C-alpha cells in the first residue's frame, strides 16, 4: 500500500485510536492531543478495552487523562465490546449507522510513529481497499502522530507499569 501522502486541507477526517491506555502515558496524551488540534479532524475516538491491566481500570485511565489536562468534546472514549480495541475499530467502520454520522469524512486509525504503529494504519486502509463491500466509508492512511520518547525509548504503558512495580518513581514520573 502507498506510503502516507499529503492530505487535502478541504477534507474532514475521523480518527480511531485503539489501545489499552492502562495507564495512559504522557505519550498517549500527546498523541491524542496531536490529532485533536488538527482542524480537519472532525472527531477522535479513543477505543479502549474494558479489562484492567495489572490492576489499572478504564475508569482510572480516564481520571489520569483528566489529570494530564483532559480533552475537548472533539475526543470521545468508546469501550471496546470486541476482543481487542483494534477489532472494534474495524467493526465501527463496517457499521453504516456509525460512519453515516460523518458524511464526506475519511476514516483512519490513529497511532504514533514508533515501531509497527504506522504499519497498523496502512494495514487498516489496505484491509478495506481489498474488501470494498464491507463498508460505505472513505478510508485514508492519516499520518501517525510524533511519538514521545523518555530516556531514549518510546513511552509506553508497559514501561510505566514496570516502573511502578519496581518502584522506579523517577522513570514513572517521566512517563
Amino acid at each position: 500500500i502507498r506510503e502516507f501522502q499529503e492530505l487535502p486541507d478541504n477534507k474532514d477526517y475521523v480518527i480511531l485510536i485503539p489501545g489499552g491506555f492502562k495507564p495512559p502515558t504522557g505519550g498517549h496524551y500527546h498523541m491524542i492531543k496531536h490529532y485533536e488540534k488538527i482542524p480537519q479532524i472532525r472527531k477522535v475516538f479513543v477505543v479502549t478495552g474494558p479489562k484492567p491491566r495489572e490492576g489499572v481500570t478504564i475508569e482510572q485511565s480516564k481520571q489520569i487523562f483528566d489529570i494530564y489536562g483532559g480533552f475537548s468534546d472533539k475526543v470521545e472514549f468508546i469501550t471496546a465490546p470486541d476482543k481487542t480495541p483494534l477489532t472494534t475499530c474495524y467493526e465501527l467502520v463496517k457499521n453504516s449507522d456509525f460512519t453515516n454520522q460523518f458524511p464526506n469524512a475519511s476514516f483512519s486509525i490513529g497511532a504514533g510513529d514508533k515501531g509497527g504503529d504506522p504499519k497498523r494504519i496502512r494495514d487498516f486502509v489496505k484491509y478495506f481497499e481489498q474488501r470494498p463491500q464491507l463498508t460505505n466509508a472513505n478510508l485514508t492512511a492519516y499520518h501517525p502522530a510524533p511519538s514521545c520518547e523518555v530516556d531514549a525509548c518510546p513511552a509506553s504503558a508497559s514501561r510505566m507499569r514496570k516502573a511502578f512495580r519496581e518502584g522506579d518513581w523517577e522513570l514513572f514520573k517521566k512517563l
Side-chain angles (χ1 to χ4, degrees), residues 35-106:
Y35 288 117
E36 178 188 31
K37 69 184 177 188
I38 296 171
Q40 293 79 17
I41 294 178
R42 190 183 315 173
K43 193 76 173 172
V44 177
F45 289 98
V46 180
V47 183
T48 61
K51 294 180 186 168
R53 282 203 187 151
E54 295 183 34
V56 180
T57 67
I58 192 167
E59 293 78 19
Q60 290 168 323
S61 290
K62 288 178 184 175
Q63 290 171 351
I64 293 168
F65 275 129
D66 288 341
I67 290 168
Y68 290 155
F71 303 105
S72 73
D73 291 343
K74 188 176 188 177
V75 177
E76 186 174 326
F77 284 78
I78 296 176
T79 302
D82 301 292
K83 185 175 180 182
T84 69
L86 184 58
T87 299
T88 296
C89 292
Y90 279 81
E91 294 303 316
L92 286 169
V93 170
K94 291 178 191 177
N95 181 343
S96 60
D97 289 339
F98 175 76
T99 58
N100 288 342
Q101 296 175 66
F102 307 97
N104 304 316
S106 290

Side-chain angles (χ1 to χ4, degrees), residues 133-152:
Q133 74 281 5
L134 293 181
T135 185
N136 66 348
N138 298 317
L139 291 137
T140 298
Y142 202 92
H143 293 272
S147 294
C148 289
E149 290 199 353
V150 173
D151 294 345

Side-chain angles (χ1 to χ4, degrees), residues 54 158-169 172:
E54 295 183 34
S158 55
R159 282 184 71 204
M160 195 171 184
R161 289 190 306 268
K162 182 175 187 262
F164 179 82
R165 277 194 315 274
E166 295 175 357
D168 186 345
W169 303 121
F172 182 82

